[in-house]
């Protein structure tokens, strides 16, 4: 074997053999890389990658062959047939393309090996066609056993090589094993085939062939093949770059908010985790500041969502510009932002928060209007306020929520008291959500009577929530919670439906008044809900009244007026609740078409002995008379209060003296309405008790 090897290698120029092996290695690596790239691709891309692999691989093998032939030092003069040379290139590329197509068939695991074996065959076909192009002036003999070996060796090596690449993405080690096998197959093909090739030189009388022409042709072939290889490699590199770019873009998209370009919640998590590790290792502190824009929904609702987006973009840009070295800012979603800063003491957090708050002092220009957007800001510090990153973020959020409820316009620092009250609020919100789902809520009704005749005019529906754990929770506590987290919409709908159902069954048919929150009034679907509920329950519209507070109206005057008009157009009455408790009551009365004024109970409270209260009540009653709007006095608790109100000419009243809020079933006992279906049994029982 060694003798054979020495004999064959001995007939070659070793430097050129080395070049041939290098070309072979390069060609095989590029071809298999392109083939590997085809594995995850689909459709035309998959075909394209296989084609490029075949062009590069075929060109590489072909160049190897010709450089090796240049290295071969024949004992006789030689020449090269150009047509057959080109044919051998076509065979190499076309054969490899067919092989790679077969290797990609997904029907069975055997196809890659089969394709690889075909590649080996096409290498042999290329080699022997190339040999036919190699014209030697002498007697040529072929040794059959070496010829057979020269076919079997590349077939076996290529089959295993392509099978290693397979139909899944392979790692570096497996890839280079495949390259080594392919190179071995090609090199062994050349050397065994050249061993099979024996030349006996003829007489010296034959004309000498110009060896320089052969070398020039060979070099030209090698250059062409290298260009082909280069193209294959370049396309691979371009693709890799494009992929790297798009991966980077995807990574950016995954870690940044598309609207403002700020890092998103996931990035904040990563930044917090690294800040935490650094602060712990260096024994430092860091703070998280949470910010939530106040009444941002109103901008969206009144100016439109694209104006809201503009405002967010502008504010995010301003905040980013206000950042200094080492400070980090992210958008958590909606109108929520968070910032992180490594600090020495609390004053640094306060200064940072003030700098951020300064951004909200300037109005934001959206479209043709200028909007003043403020933010509630809360902060928590590690390690003072939290053990870990999650707790820190949560506590900063609790502090921010506290700032929002307490309407603070400075940053709120987290402390245990704030944490406890905010956690209770969150629990309450969760419990309320459940209570609504499980219908654990109830309605009580409080009578509204004529102060002159004592006749019942109607009832106000008041929501009641008796929680098994927290006990009775007053509406003044849970309604604001429901307003904060959007629960007020389903809650309000539930109240309306239930009140209308109850009232529809009342005998006599008294009116029912339902309280509507400010948040509900911002919903353009509210009139449709009223209409739908009236249709469902069969309650005539004139028997329904809605009670609005001033705060509900002044947030968005034009929008509220529009919704209110639509509701009134259905035939439903609208009364102004808690009149006098707001700050521009007279203006509200002028702008909105109310059917009734409900005078706040604060004015009734001291009316018997307080001259000022009495004067105010008198003025309101006079105002009602002038505007021809009846006035109902709320919170009448004593006979004296009622006597004064009567003397002043008040039309209607409501209060504990006239009747406390009570469940619907108890109303009949106080002389109120009975449910239609209940009349017979009640009359029967009355007759039974008489008997
Ligand atoms: P409001 O609409 O002004 O309702 C009258 C409140 O005054 C009721 O308190 C009632 O129990 C209380 N009240 C009635 N007479 C007297 C009295 O003589 N003295 C005193 N001290 N209080 C009296 P409640 O039920 O606690 O409701 C408080 C507020 O919660 C209501 O004020 C209303 O603004 C809101 N609310 C109640 N139910 C609902 C509801 O279903 N939806 C909405 N959005 N708000 C509701
Ligand atoms: Mg009310
Ligand atoms: Mg009221």
């Amino acid at each position: 074997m060694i003798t054979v090897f020495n004999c064959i290698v001995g007939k070659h120029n070793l430097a050129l053999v080395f070049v041939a092996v290098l070309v072979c290695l390069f060609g095989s690596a590029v071809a298999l890389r392109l083939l590997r790239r085809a594995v995850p691709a689909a459709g035309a891309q998959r075909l394209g990658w296989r084609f490029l692999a075949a062009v590069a691989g075929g060109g590489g093998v072909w160049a190897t062959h010709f450089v090796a032939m240049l290295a071969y030092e024949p004992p006789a003069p030689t020449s090269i047939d150009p047509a057959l040379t080109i044919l051998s290139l076509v065979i190499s590329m076309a054969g490899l393309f067919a092989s790679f197509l077969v290797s990609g068939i997904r029907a069975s695991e055997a196809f890659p090996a089969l394709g690889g074996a075909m590649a080996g065959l096409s290498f042999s076909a290329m080699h022997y066609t190339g040999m036919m192009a190699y014209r030697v002036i002498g007697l040529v003999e072929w040794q059959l056993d070496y010829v057979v070996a020269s076919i079997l060796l590349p077939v076996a090596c290529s089959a295993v090589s392509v099978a290693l690449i397979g139909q899944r993405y392979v790692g570096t080690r497996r890839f280079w094993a495949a390259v080594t096998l392919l190179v071995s197959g090609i090199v062994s093909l050349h050397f065994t085939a050249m061993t099979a090739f024996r030349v006996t030189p003829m007489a010296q009388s034959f004309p000498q062939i110009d060896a320089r022409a052969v070398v020039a042709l060979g070099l030209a072939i090698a250059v062409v093949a290298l260009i082909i290889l280069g193209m294959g490699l370049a396309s691979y590199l371009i693709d890799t770059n494009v992929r790297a770019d798009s991966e980077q873009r995807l990574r950016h998209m995954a870690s940044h908010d598309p609207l403002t370009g700020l890092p998103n919640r996931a990035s904040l998590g990563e930044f917090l985790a690294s800040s935490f590790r650094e602060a712990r290792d260096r024994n430092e502190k860091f703070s998280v500041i949470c910010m939530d824009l106040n009444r941002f929904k109103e901008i969206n609702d009144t100016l439109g969502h694209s104006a809201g987006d503009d405002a967010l973009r502008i504010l995010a840009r301003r905040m980013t510009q206000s950042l200094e070295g080492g400070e980090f800012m992210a958008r958590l979603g909606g109108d929520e932002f968070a910032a992180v800063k490594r600090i020495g003491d609390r004053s640094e957090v306060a200064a940072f928060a003030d700098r951020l708050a300064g951004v909200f002092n300037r109005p934001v220009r959206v479209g043709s209007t200028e909007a003043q957007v403020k933010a509630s800001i809360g902060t928590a510090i590690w390690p003072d306020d939290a053990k870990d990153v999650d707790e820190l973020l949560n506590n900063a959020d609790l502090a921010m929520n506290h700032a929002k409820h307490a309407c603070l316009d400075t940053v709120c620092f987290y402390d245990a008291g704030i944490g406890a009250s905010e956690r209770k609020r969150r629990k309450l919100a969760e419990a309320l959500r459940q209570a609504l789902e499980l219908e654990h809520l109830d309605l009580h009704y409080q009578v509204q009577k004529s102060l002159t005749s004592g006749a019942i005019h109607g009832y106000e529906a008041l929501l009641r929530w008796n929680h098994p754990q927290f006990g009775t929770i007053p509406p003044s506590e849970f309604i604001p919670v429901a307003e904060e987290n959007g629960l007020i919409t389903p809650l309000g709908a539930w109240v309306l439906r239930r009140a209308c159902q109850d009232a529809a069954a009342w005998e006599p048919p008294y009116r029912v008044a339902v309280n509507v929150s400010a948040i509900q009034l911002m919903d353009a679907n509210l009139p449709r809900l009223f209409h739908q509920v009236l249709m469902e329950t069969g309650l005539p519209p004139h028997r329904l009244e809605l009670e609005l507070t001033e705060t509900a109206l002044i947030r968005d005057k034009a929008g509220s007026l529009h919704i209110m008009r639509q509701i009134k157009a259905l035939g439903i009455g609208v009364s102004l609740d808690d009149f006098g408790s707001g700050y521009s009551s007279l203006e509200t009365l002028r702008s909105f078409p109310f059917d009734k004024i409900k005078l706040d109970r604060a004015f009734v409270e001291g009316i018997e002995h307080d001259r000022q209260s009495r004067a105010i009540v008198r003025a309101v009653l006079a105002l009602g008379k002038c505007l021809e709007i009846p006035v109902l006095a709320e919170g009448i608790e004593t006979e004296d209060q009622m006597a004064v109100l009567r003397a002043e000419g008040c039309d209607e009243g409501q209060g504990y003296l006239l009747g406390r809020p009570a469940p619907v079933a108890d109303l009949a006992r106080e002389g109120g309405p009975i449910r239609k279906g209940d009349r017979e049994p009640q009359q029967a029982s009355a007759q039974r008790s008489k008997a």
Side-chain angles (χ1 to χ4, degrees), residues 460 515 547 577 598:
E460 177 177 4
N515 291 287
E547 294 194 4
D577 205 354
K598 291 189 75 179

Side-chain angles (χ1 to χ4, degrees), residues 5 34 77 84 91 95 161 223 254 340 386 404 486 511 573 658 660:
F5 178 78
L34 290 165
L84 280 174
I91 289 177
S161 166
V223 167
V340 185
K404 181 148 281 192
R511 247 181 6 222
L658 303 168
R660 284 181 176 264

Side-chain angles (χ1 to χ4, degrees), residues 27-39:
S28 305
V30 171
L32 290 185
R33 213 163 249 278
L34 290 165
L35 186 65
R36 182 172 71 165
R37 179 64 190 86
V39 168

